[in-house]
């Protein structure tokens, strides 16, 4: 029997624009303007790694104290956006897709880098759909390390090779591949060509197609 692991940001909800607005403000404090192209490179990247990338682009070095303060301020700003989220923020097709899998009695887990995952799922009314949640609070190593997906698989008692992962980020697809799982990229083949299959969104994916996929090993 297969298990299904969903990334959150960019797969279930489009939060990238909220992360962008919040990191842009951080950049301004460092005298740096974060571009939309740079924000693309932050997709799927943990909070700590994101700030390190921004500091690198800005060519700025800061104390540990300031680093922690900037991370806290960014998260506070981001959470203000999250508080305004509603079920209307759910990306096309994904809710029906998950409901179809659930109707078949199949296990569903979240595998996200975000430490805000439970709050976001609560705001969009999807928290109770998940049998298990592996997120930024459950793991030490960030994607492309496979840890978050392996923790998710364990929580739904499914062997990694029987898991199907849905991911929008390059590092996320890499993490799924590193875990030995079937990787489904949500987005463009331009940057997700390392996924086993790529779809632009869930309206184009049938549960039959996914259920018939064969393990890689
Ligand atoms: C990922 C997002 O899902 O979670 C990243 O794509 C984000 O942009 C990361 O940095 C960590 O999220 P959070 O909510 O804990 O800051
Ligand atoms: Mg993502």
């Amino acid at each position: 029997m297969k298990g299904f692991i969903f990334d959150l940001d960019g797969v279930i909800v489009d939060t990238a624009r909220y992360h962008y607005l919040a990191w842009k403000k951080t950049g301004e404090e460092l005298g740096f303007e974060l571009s939309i192209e740079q924000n693309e490179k932050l997709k799927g990247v943990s909070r700590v790694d994101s700030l390190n990338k921004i500091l690198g682009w800005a060519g700025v070095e800061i104390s540990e104290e300031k680093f922690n303060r900037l991370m806290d301020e960014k998260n506070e700003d981001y959470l203000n956006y999250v508080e305004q989220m509603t079920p209307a923020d759910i990306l096309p097709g994904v809710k029906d897709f998950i409901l179809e899998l659930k109707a078949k009695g199949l296990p569903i887990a979240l595998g996200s880098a975000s430490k805000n995952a439970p709050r976001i799922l609560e705001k969009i009314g999807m928290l109770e759909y998940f049998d298990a949640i592996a997120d930024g609070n459950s793991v030490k190593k960030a994607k492309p390390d496979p840890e978050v997906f392996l923790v998710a698989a364990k929580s739904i008692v499914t062997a990694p090779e029987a898991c199907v992962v849905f991911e929008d980020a390059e590092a996320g697809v890499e993490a799924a591949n590193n875990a030995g799982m079937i990787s489904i990229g949500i987005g463009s083949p331009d940057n997700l060509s390392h996924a086993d299959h790529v779809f632009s969104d869930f309206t184009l994916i049938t549960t039959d197609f996914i259920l018939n996929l064969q393990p890689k090993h």
Side-chain angles (χ1 to χ4, degrees), residues 5 9 20 31 52 93-94 108 124-125 142 155 169 177 180 186 190-191 204:
I5 306 176
D9 298 302
Y20 177 54
N52 273 322
V94 66
I108 313 281
I124 61 169
S155 312
N177 291 343
I186 304 296
D190 292 350
N191 65 326
L204 303 170

Side-chain angles (χ1 to χ4, degrees), residues 13 49-50 89 95 101-102 112 116 122 132-133 136-137 143 174 189 195 208-209:
V13 279
D49 292 351
S50 296
D89 287 285
K95 184 173 167 176
L101 294 176
K102 285 195 75 65
S112 165
N116 299 306
E122 203 170 65
I133 289 184
N137 303 298
K143 299 170 188 178
E174 210 179 315
D208 277 351
F209 174 80

